[in-house]
Amino acid sequence: MNILTLLVVIPALTILGLIFTKGYKQARVLSAIGMGLQFVATLYLVYMYFQARGAGNTDAFLFDQNLVWYKSLNIHYHVAIDGIGVLMILLTSVVTFAGVFASWEVKDLTKEFFIFLIMLAMGVFGFFIAQDLFTMFVFYEIAVIPMYVLIGIWGTGPKEYSAMKLTLMLMGGSALLLVALLGIYFNSETATGLHTFDMQELSKMHFPFAFQKFFFPFAFVGFGVLGALFPFHTWSPDGHASAPTAVSMLHAGVLMKLGSYGAFRVAMYLMPEGAVYFANFFLVLTGFSVIYGAFVAVRKTDLKFINAYSSVSHVGLILFALMMFTKTAFTGAILQMISHGLMTAMFFGLIGMIYGRTHTREIYKMGGLMKILPVISATYVIAGLASLGLPGLSGFVAEMNIFVGAWENPNLLNRVFSVIAISAIVVTAVYILRVVGVLLMGPLKNPEHANLPKVKWFERVVIILLMGSIVGMGTMPLWITDTIRDSLIPIMEKFVH
Amino acid sequence: MDWSYTIWIPLLPLIGFLIIGFVGRKLPYPIPGLIGITGIFGALVLSYITAYKYFFVVNADMTFEPIKAVETLWMTFSDKLHFNMGVLLDPISVMMLVVVTTVSFLVHLYSLGYMKGDPGFGRFFTFLSLFTFSMLGLVIATNLFQIYFFWELVGVSSYLLIGFYYEKPSAILASKKAFIVTRFADFFFLIGILVISYYTETFDFLTLNGMSESALASAGSTSFMGMSVLALGLTLAFVGGAGKSAMFPLHIWLPDAMEGPTPVSALIHAATMVVAGVFLVARLFPMYYHVDGGIVLSIIAFVGASSSLIAAIIATTQMDIKRVLAFSTMSQIGYMMLSLGVSGYDGHHGLGYTASMFHLFTHAFFKSLLFLAAGSIIHAVHSNYMTKMGGLRKHLPITHITFLLASLAISGIYPFAGFFSKDAILDAAHMHSPIYFWIGWFVAGLTAFYMFRLYFRIFWYEDREYHHTPHESPLTMTVPLMILALLSVVSGFIFFYILPFGTYITPTGEEFHMHIDWTLAGLSLAIAVVGIFIAWFMYFKKNNKAEKVANSFGMLYKWAYNKFYIDEIYMFVTKKIMFGVVSAGWMWFDTKIVDGSMNLIGNTTVKTSYAIKKLQSGKMQDYVLAVVVGAVALGAIFIYIWTR
């Protein structure tokens, strides 16, 4: 079987298997096995990919599989992958695997919980390998819909409101996106006279400028809603605050990346002139959102809200980098997708561990946790340092590529917004250190917290998986940057005039 | 010659960090400390071997060519810009290796005694090893990005160590402040790096320093607000250096950083990390000198001189002995900056550069000695305040003698170390401009005064009763004091007469002869003696002269005592304006406007649907009525149109 198809089949089989499980223990063990297999398959994919590249295969996309799905509409199940996709799959696999362990103690409706969680993951895997826009859109919706159920049933706080808000806003984005996809489809022409959704064929066509000008905003904003594009980000704080731990991890860690990845691989890649035309507009919007998210995070007191606004800032940086149109900045954008995915999943995982013990997320109701929960607290500090871009951790690698890449674009407006975006490194330090100072340091604030249970083995698995990836990426970035840069070559051709 | 072993100089402390951090943290006293000491001792030995080979074997012909011992690609930015990691050996980096490993080793040794019994003993050595690794990585950096990488790492080590007593609210605040203020400076540094690398297309120090004046002029031909872009980039890089080196007005974090354990203050906030800014300017000195005719150097000289003066004035009024030393550090670093700023390039004109490095070298020893001695005093008295001290010479004989020697050294008394380096700085300042000389001269007097104010107040003044009788510290603490005292006494003498700095460390690599201008030296000796005399007069015996003098200065004293209210200004701008107005305003905007409009769309949809859902009532008679009314209305419209 094609290795890429396998990545969709394993989650599908896991879901099927889950239906027949009894009790929470069976469900979680089966999920762990399924996602463990998925993780192994991903590592095998990485190995195969580098072996193929090492053997001199210079095709842009590898492991191609193309099956006709709807013949009359020329819709195909077409999957293939390049280096960027491989890295995104790796990210998804790590976060999903960690997510299963973070949900180890979900005891109500465990079976159903894991079914929806893995369905979400399956959608994400499918999205990253799809080469046919229709197939991609199907996977996209498979990833987005389970969120409603997961938040609405297993969430906390005003979960119905949050679930509804998140789903409706994302559906709004999907609607815009669908308009753009159909626009692309009906304006495509192939040799056989049929329209096509196939991205590899579409990328060879040149759409007229008037078309691009009209449809680019639909596609970019449509994906951008999921990528927390300012001002369409407000689903994210509420949604994350209400979502259960693993869902926040998966959602902020990988699902939001679907937005920025799609904005890059679909909207910008297929409509480069439209992208350039709207560059300044989106530059201002995204550059502002970087500093905006950081400043709002400074005032928030709920851990999940702080992290959600921190995400607005960090994800804003991805879209900001895309508006620079330089190879280094694009590399940085992809790196930031991976880095933010790992960091935010780590944060949400840790917040879940803390919340599970103290039953509060208000930082001022806690304090001095360092003494009580040394492992979790120390990990929180390291994750915080990664978030503020400490060298040796993943955030630094991504941010420096973005900043150097941003500076390569000499337009005055780009320079001004680069400086604004870079200044966020200071504000980020403020809100991260504030949380560390209030939550972890200091004397124990609430005496009820004196005997909180120590870190458990499955929590250690979450920490080791994610922290290992963050440190690995931060200390050995060369193979990642080179993989991305190789895969960017065909994309850069679109932006050289 | 094979230099690749030098990579182990930073790696040994890193290995120590990993071992203690992962497995050794919980081991019983003193195992974590011993692991840390082993790592740093290895680095120390390798550094000394390197220094010997570099200065006396390879460069016996006095050329001192820079050597790239190791270089490897770490990350690709673009086709032109690569992020390399490597080891650059040249006179200043080799000198820094010696300074950092020596002081770090002694501080490790001292901490073995000082931190005994602390529950965070293992954690302390973890952080200390991390710091040593980062600092060594910084000094051997081959390029701007590598230095930035380690620059941030030393910043975070400093943060972790200042906040070492993490249950103390003041330590939390101080660590946050130190990190955020230096981070703010690093923001400028980063932009400076981006500007410089964009126009020169390289991060590499040797390439940057090797660029001729015309090459620099053409690379920086774009101008920005009257400066060439390269001058702008260098200025921004200097802001980063000023933040790390606690130069006015970015110095506010340094006094608060004294919340950390005292050995940390000695290592990080006196001898090594805080001089990183000076090192950065020295590292790029040829470039600073050649861009725009050295315009940036004049900024550096001004900042250095003003910091030096302001800090010395504040130091005379503080009561916390560690804060006095902190301001003293700032003042001495101001000297080093001033010296770089006034320096020329060729031959004897490069004296400022040499003097700056010389002072960095000697200052590292006597200042870390002062801090370690202060630690010994605090250890004995359990207080930082000089008002709680007095007459300690009887209780702490070794600390007393070593503190006195260090005070003489920093005051610039012949033949102690500080005399030679400070004299060289004043000489260089005098060559450049008399104003800077007189500022430096006045600061020398203030230095002698505040140091001996400390000395007399702590060790003489009054024989008071102590709650616990103070007793001398254990050998692990006093041995480092004695070694540093020896270095404070002889390092100036040796490196002036026997192995003169002017031979080994100069901007161009060419040697020049250093000599003492006895007119200037006499002037500075005289004011130092005057300073010591005034301190003796005011603090030798218990009296109220100090208060009288303070009162006679009135407002000036109050201002200086309150550090000229600079902290308050910062607090106002950050707390009230940035986080009060901007942050709160944007949060309001986010919830009310952005999210509000989303909710409005949602609510409007719901309300509309409620409104129109009444039409679908499910009652047949309503629908029939609607059909009839509609038919009549349509009929009326058609009739109206037809009959028109």
Side-chain angles (χ1 to χ4, degrees):
Chain A
M1 189 189 283
N2 179 295
I3 173 108
L4 296 178
T5 305
L6 190 68
L7 291 176
V8 182
V9 170
I10 295 176
L13 287 178
T14 313
I15 292 171
L16 268 181
L18 277 170
I19 294 173
F20 301 106
T21 57
K22 287 195 175 62
Y24 70 91
K25 282 187 179 160
Q26 282 186 9
R28 70 188 185 189
V29 169
L30 181 65
S31 307
I33 292 171
M35 290 304 103
L37 278 177
Q38 180 82 345
F39 189 55
V40 173
T42 307
L43 293 180
Y44 183 62
L45 169 73
V46 175
Y47 169 75
M48 294 268 284
Y49 177 82
F50 283 104
Q51 206 182 36
R53 286 286 186 241
N57 188 336
T58 53
D59 295 351
F61 289 90
L62 303 181
F63 314 120
D64 204 282
Q65 187 178 28
N66 200 345
L67 304 171
V68 178
W69 195 4
Y70 286 141
K71 194 158 196 299
S72 56
L73 291 176
N74 199 16
I75 293 172
H76 291 245
Y77 169 80
H78 183 190
V79 294
I81 203 160
D82 65 352
I84 298 171
V86 168
L87 292 171
M88 300 310 289
I89 292 284
L90 189 58
L91 165 74
T92 312
S93 213
V94 170
V95 174
T96 315
F97 195 37
V100 171
F101 288 99
S103 325
W104 205 247
E105 291 201 320
V106 173
K107 299 242 168 97
D108 349 311
L109 303 172
T110 313
K111 178 164 96 178
E112 290 79 3
F113 177 83
F114 278 114
I115 288 177
F116 283 110
L117 190 72
I118 292 172
M119 189 188 285
L120 194 164
M122 184 177 81
V124 177
F125 280 110
F127 179 89
F128 285 130
I129 57 176
Q131 289 298 311
D132 183 280
L133 288 177
F134 190 85
T135 315
M136 184 184 258
F137 190 72
V138 169
F139 280 121
Y140 181 85
E141 295 296 303
I142 290 178
V144 171
I145 305 287
M147 287 297 295
Y148 179 75
V149 185
L150 285 166
I151 297 175
I153 295 177
W154 290 274
T156 52
K159 54 189 181 183
E160 288 86 3
Y161 167 76
S162 306
M164 185 66 91
K165 182 172 183 175
L166 179 140
T167 314
L168 284 181
M169 284 185 72
L170 295 188
M171 284 295 121
S174 297
L176 294 177
L177 183 58
L178 195 58
V179 171
L181 297 188
L182 293 177
I184 291 170
Y185 176 71
F186 284 110
N187 281 280
S188 62
E189 284 166 31
T190 57
T192 53
L194 286 169
H195 298 307
T196 182
F197 277 116
D198 193 296
M199 278 215 283
Q200 292 180 14
E201 285 183 50
L202 288 169
S203 69
K204 288 173 200 140
M205 299 169 195
H206 180 259
F207 295 101
F209 180 58
F211 168 84
Q212 296 197 14
K213 215 164 76 171
F214 186 76
F215 280 101
F216 176 76
F218 282 95
F220 193 82
V221 175
F223 277 119
V225 173
L226 185 53
L229 172 69
F230 176 85
F232 305 109
H233 62 275
T234 56
W235 57 266
S236 129
D238 285 321
H240 287 146
S242 296
T245 303
V247 177
S248 289
M249 285 169 69
L250 244 75
H251 192 256
V254 291
L255 204 60
M256 279 170 87
K257 307 302 168 300
L258 261 56
S260 30
Y261 183 85
F264 182 47
R265 293 308 286 268
V266 179
M268 289 178 64
Y269 184 49
L270 297 182
M271 294 177 279
E273 288 161 30
V276 171
Y277 182 77
F278 282 102
N280 284 349
F281 176 72
F282 286 115
L283 176 74
V284 173
L285 220 52
T286 55
F288 178 67
S289 79
V290 175
I291 190 87
Y292 174 88
F295 264 109
V296 176
V298 170
R299 297 290 294 198
K300 294 284 176 186
T301 57
D302 179 305
L303 280 173
K304 277 200 170 180
F305 274 95
I306 293 170
N307 198 35
Y309 278 98
S310 161
S311 290
V312 170
S313 169
H314 282 129
V315 176
L317 205 53
I318 301 175
L319 297 173
F320 168 79
L322 293 180
M323 288 299 122
M324 289 298 167
F325 302 102
T326 63
K327 195 171 175 184
T328 316
F330 285 160
T331 314
I334 309 285
L335 287 167
Q336 178 76 351
M337 287 181 205
I338 302 166
S339 158
H340 175 258
L342 294 169
M343 286 183 325
T344 201
M346 187 76 259
F347 267 124
F348 278 124
L350 291 167
I351 292 169
M353 294 175 202
I354 293 169
Y355 180 72
R357 289 170 167 80
T358 64
H359 305 291
T360 179
R361 289 190 308 254
E362 281 293 316
I363 53 171
Y364 288 108
K365 288 187 181 162
M366 297 177 270
L369 294 185
M370 185 77 88
K371 246 209 162 100
I372 318 295
L373 304 169
V375 176
I376 294 174
S377 302
T379 315
Y380 200 100
V381 174
I382 300 172
L385 294 175
S387 182
L388 59 78
L390 185 77
L393 301 169
S394 63
F396 177 79
V397 170
E399 285 180 5
M400 290 309 127
N401 270 285
I402 292 176
F403 297 152
V404 172
W407 214 263
E408 284 172 4
N409 188 328
N411 289 335
L412 184 63
L413 190 72
N414 292 47
R415 284 281 151 84
V416 170
F417 275 89
S418 299
V419 171
I420 290 175
I422 296 172
S423 74
I425 65 170
V426 184
V427 190
T428 308
V430 174
Y431 68 74
I432 296 285
L433 297 190
R434 168 170 162 265
V435 173
V436 170
V438 174
L439 178 72
L440 308 176
M441 294 176 161
L444 185 67
K445 199 165 194 175
N446 188 341
E448 286 169 21
H449 295 164
N451 295 310
L452 296 176
K454 295 273 172 244
V455 63
K456 303 195 176 82
W457 69 268
F458 51 86
E459 292 172 332
R460 280 181 195 270
V461 174
V462 177
I463 291 174
I464 290 168
L465 272 174
L466 293 171
M467 224 6 122
S469 310
I470 290 173
V471 174
M473 179 175 168
T475 48
M476 290 167 283
L478 185 61
W479 67 276
I480 306 179
T481 51
D482 282 358
T483 308
I484 296 172
R485 286 172 62 77
D486 283 344
S487 300
L488 280 176
I489 293 169
I491 296 172
M492 287 317 292
E493 283 167 9
K494 291 265 180 181
F495 294 100
V496 176
H497 306 294
Chain B
M1 187 173 283
D2 183 27
W3 294 97
S4 56
Y5 72 87
T6 50
I7 194 71
W8 290 99
I9 296 174
L11 286 187
L12 287 174
L14 176 66
I15 293 168
F17 160 70
L18 293 175
I19 295 176
I20 312 172
F22 281 110
V23 294
R25 216 154 26 94
K26 294 275 189 284
L27 292 177
Y29 178 87
I31 297 172
L34 293 180
I35 300 170
I37 288 178
T38 314
I40 178 66
F41 185 70
L44 175 89
V45 171
L46 290 179
S47 299
Y48 281 19
I49 293 173
T50 310
Y52 174 74
K53 279 175 29 178
Y54 184 81
F55 285 118
F56 305 112
V57 180
V58 180
N59 286 308
D61 56 347
M62 304 290 162
T63 47
F64 304 116
E65 289 294 324
I67 297 166
K68 258 189 197 160
V70 181
E71 187 157 51
T72 164
L73 176 63
W74 193 71
M75 183 164 79
T76 321
F77 279 129
S78 64
D79 301 330
K80 289 173 201 147
L81 293 175
H82 298 268
F83 187 157
N84 292 332
M85 287 280 187
V87 179
L88 177 66
L89 299 176
D90 75 343
I92 57 170
S93 70
V94 175
M95 178 203 82
M96 286 298 287
L97 284 180
V98 171
V99 171
V100 173
T101 52
T102 308
V103 178
S104 181
F105 174 69
L106 293 173
V107 166
H108 270 76
L109 202 62
Y110 178 94
S111 307
L112 217 51
Y114 188 88
M115 298 303 290
K116 185 175 179 181
D118 192 297
F121 186 80
R123 189 161 52 90
F124 181 81
F125 278 92
T126 317
F127 294 162
L128 216 53
S129 295
L130 174 66
F131 170 77
T132 308
F133 157 68
S134 319
M135 191 67 210
L136 291 169
L138 192 155
V139 300
I140 56 175
T142 60
N143 59 72
L144 272 171
F145 241 102
Q146 188 185 351
I147 212 169
Y148 182 75
F149 185 101
F150 287 106
W151 192 268
E152 293 295 299
L153 280 180
V154 290
V156 86
S157 326
S158 158
Y159 164 77
L160 293 169
L161 283 164
I162 296 169
F164 180 76
Y165 300 119
Y166 61 81
E167 285 179 80
K168 233 168 93 185
S170 57
I172 303 171
L173 285 178
S175 62
K176 255 167 49 175
K177 187 172 176 180
F179 193 87
I180 291 167
V181 173
T182 47
R183 185 79 176 183
F184 176 67
D186 294 349
F187 156 62
F188 293 97
F189 185 20
L190 180 59
I191 294 178
I193 293 176
L194 294 177
V195 172
I196 295 170
S197 63
Y198 180 76
Y199 290 100
T200 59
E201 301 185 343
T202 182
F203 296 126
D204 191 77
F205 285 134
L206 295 182
T207 320
L208 287 172
N209 283 337
M211 287 173 84
S212 66
E213 214 157 327
S214 56
L216 286 169
S218 70
S221 57
T222 325
S223 73
F224 181 82
M225 296 193 344
M227 266 174 146
S228 84
V229 279
L230 284 184
L232 176 77
L234 287 172
T235 310
L236 290 169
F238 168 67
V239 175
K244 205 59 109 205
S245 288
M247 289 289 97
F248 175 80
L250 294 165
H251 64 277
I252 53 161
W253 64 271
L254 185 62
D256 291 31
M258 298 299 127
E259 288 293 340
T262 308
V264 169
S265 312
L267 175 61
I268 303 186
H269 305 118
T272 54
M273 187 193 81
V274 284
V275 296
V278 179
F279 178 73
L280 176 71
V281 176
R283 171 50 81 217
L284 281 172
F285 185 75
M287 193 174 172
Y288 272 104
Y289 185 78
H290 286 124
V291 167
D292 275 19
I295 183 172
V296 189
L297 286 180
S298 51
I299 298 173
I300 293 172
F302 177 77
V303 171
S306 50
S307 303
S308 172
L309 183 62
I310 290 168
I313 293 172
I314 298 175
T316 59
T317 62
Q318 298 299 303
M319 292 297 173
D320 179 332
I321 61 171
K322 282 183 77 182
R323 289 191 188 228
V324 174
L325 293 177
F327 280 106
S328 162
T329 305
M330 176 183 162
S331 172
Q332 299 297 312
I333 296 171
Y335 263 145
M336 300 172 205
M337 285 288 187
L338 167 67
S339 182
L340 282 173
V342 298
S343 179
Y345 194 60
D346 302 305
H348 196 261
H349 297 288
L351 176 64
Y353 176 91
T354 306
S356 174
M357 292 296 104
F358 193 14
H359 199 56
L360 191 162
F361 185 77
T362 57
H363 175 256
F365 301 132
F366 55 70
K367 186 50 70 60
S368 53
L369 169 55
L370 284 170
F371 269 109
L372 293 182
S376 172
I377 295 163
I378 293 165
H379 203 66
V381 184
H382 304 289
S383 171
N384 281 9
Y385 287 90
M386 60 169 84
T387 45
K388 299 269 167 61
M389 300 168 189
L392 283 172
R393 69 186 182 284
K394 291 173 190 155
H395 304 289
L396 309 170
I398 301 173
T399 310
H400 168 227
I401 297 299
T402 50
F403 195 95
L404 174 63
L405 292 173
S407 301
L408 288 168
I410 194 174
S411 305
I413 302 298
Y414 188 86
F416 297 95
F419 169 80
F420 297 96
S421 52
K422 189 180 288 183
D423 180 67
I425 289 179
L426 292 178
D427 201 354
H430 189 259
M431 285 200 293
H432 185 80
S433 129
I435 296 170
Y436 284 141
F437 169 76
W438 288 113
I439 292 176
W441 176 81
F442 182 59
V443 171
L446 287 174
T447 309
F449 170 72
Y450 67 67
M451 279 320 302
F452 278 86
R453 169 174 174 259
L454 270 188
Y455 169 73
F456 287 123
R457 188 68 185 73
I458 296 171
F459 294 103
W460 300 82
Y461 202 65
E462 56 172 340
D463 290 329
R464 58 185 293 165
E465 293 292 309
Y466 288 95
H467 193 57
H468 303 283
T469 313
H471 50 84
E472 188 56 278
S473 305
L475 272 182
T476 47
M477 287 166 71
T478 47
V479 168
L481 291 183
M482 290 185 272
I483 297 173
L484 283 169
L486 180 69
L487 288 169
S488 305
V489 175
V490 301
S491 65
F493 195 82
I494 291 176
F495 291 99
F496 189 83
Y497 291 116
I498 303 169
L499 302 165
F501 247 66
T503 309
Y504 296 97
I505 294 171
T506 60
T508 51
E510 294 163 34
E511 65 175 308
F512 67 86
H513 180 65
M514 284 170 85
H515 57 87
I516 298 173
D517 181 339
W518 281 105
T519 330
L520 302 180
L523 279 171
S524 66
L525 268 176
I527 192 156
V529 171
V530 170
I532 295 172
F533 178 76
I534 296 173
W536 174 82
F537 178 71
M538 286 166 66
Y539 294 99
F540 186 65
K541 278 266 155 48
K542 187 172 180 173
N543 60 55
N544 60 354
K545 288 175 201 145
E547 270 174 53
K548 280 187 191 157
V549 175
N551 288 335
S552 70
F553 276 101
M555 283 303 278
L556 183 66
Y557 176 81
K558 202 178 152 218
W559 281 27
Y561 183 75
N562 288 303
K563 305 165 205 162
F564 297 106
Y565 297 100
I566 297 164
D567 285 57
E568 280 73 14
I569 297 170
Y570 270 95
M571 284 316 266
F572 177 76
V573 173
T574 52
K575 273 246 151 85
K576 290 270 164 17
I577 298 185
M578 294 311 280
F579 300 119
V581 178
V582 176
S583 201
W586 284 0
M587 193 167 92
W588 177 86
F589 176 77
D590 196 72
T591 39
K592 298 290 172 191
I593 308 292
V594 181
D595 203 28
S597 57
M598 293 301 159
N599 284 339
L600 184 70
I601 294 171
N603 290 338
T604 316
T605 315
V606 172
K607 277 184 190 145
T608 318
S609 82
Y610 266 107
I612 58 176
K613 113 179 160 176
K614 284 174 190 148
L615 293 175
Q616 305 285 323
S617 63
K619 291 177 190 158
M620 186 58 87
Q621 58 270 45
D622 288 356
Y623 295 157
V624 173
L625 180 66
V627 170
V628 172
V629 171
V632 171
L634 274 176
I637 291 167
F638 285 138
I639 290 166
Y640 174 73
I641 293 169
W642 282 330
T643 56
R644 219 155 55 122

